Amino acid sequence: METETHSAPPVVAVVVVHEPGDWFGETLDALAAQDYPNLRFLFLVAEDAGASNVPLESIEEAIADRLPKAFVRSLGSNPGFAGAANEVGRLVEGQNGFFLFCHDDIAP
C-alpha cells in the first residue's frame, strides 16, 4: 500500500464511525491487511453530543495504531450514514478514483 501504481485506480475507503463496539479492532485489522496498491483510508467519526460511550481520542488512537496514514475527521455531530458519506465530496479532491463506503462494523 505504500507505493502508488498507475495500473490500479485510486480507491478511498470511507469508514463512517459511530459509537464503535468491541468489533472495531477487528475492522481496523481487516482494513490494515488489505493489499490493494492504491488504497487510502478516510474515517468520518459521527458524534452525538454527550451520548458517546467511546471518546473521540480513543477512536483516533485505535485508528492511528493500525493505520497511521489514515485521515480521521470528526463530523462534530451525527448526520447519519448517508449524511456522513456526503461529506466526502467536500473532503476528497480529484475525479479519477473510486470510493468504498463502509460502516465501522465491516471486516473485508
Side-chain angles (χ1 to χ4, degrees):
M1 275 190 331
E2 293 299 318
T3 60
E4 286 191 24
T5 177
H6 295 289
S7 63
V11 174
V12 176
V14 180
V15 183
V16 178
V17 180
H18 180 252
E19 297 185 9
D22 295 337
W23 64 83
F24 193 51
E26 183 180 345
T27 295
L28 294 173
D29 290 340
L31 291 170
Q34 299 305 303
D35 61 359
Y36 188 78
N38 212 352
L39 179 62
R40 303 292 178 259
F41 298 97
L42 170 61
F43 289 83
L44 301 174
V45 182
E47 300 176 73
D48 292 324
S52 179
N53 296 328
V54 184
L56 176 62
E57 296 79 22
S58 67
I59 295 171
E60 291 174 334
E61 184 178 306
I63 294 168
D65 284 348
R66 292 171 175 95
L67 295 159
K69 293 186 177 185
F71 296 95
V72 180
R73 296 292 181 262
S74 170
L75 298 174
S77 65
N78 181 14
F81 184 86
N86 285 337
E87 287 294 306
V88 171
R90 189 175 63 80
L91 296 171
V92 178
E93 295 179 3
Q95 299 177 2
N96 296 327
F98 297 96
F99 295 106
L100 169 64
F101 290 94
C102 309
H103 196 265
D104 60 25
D105 60 354
I106 55 97

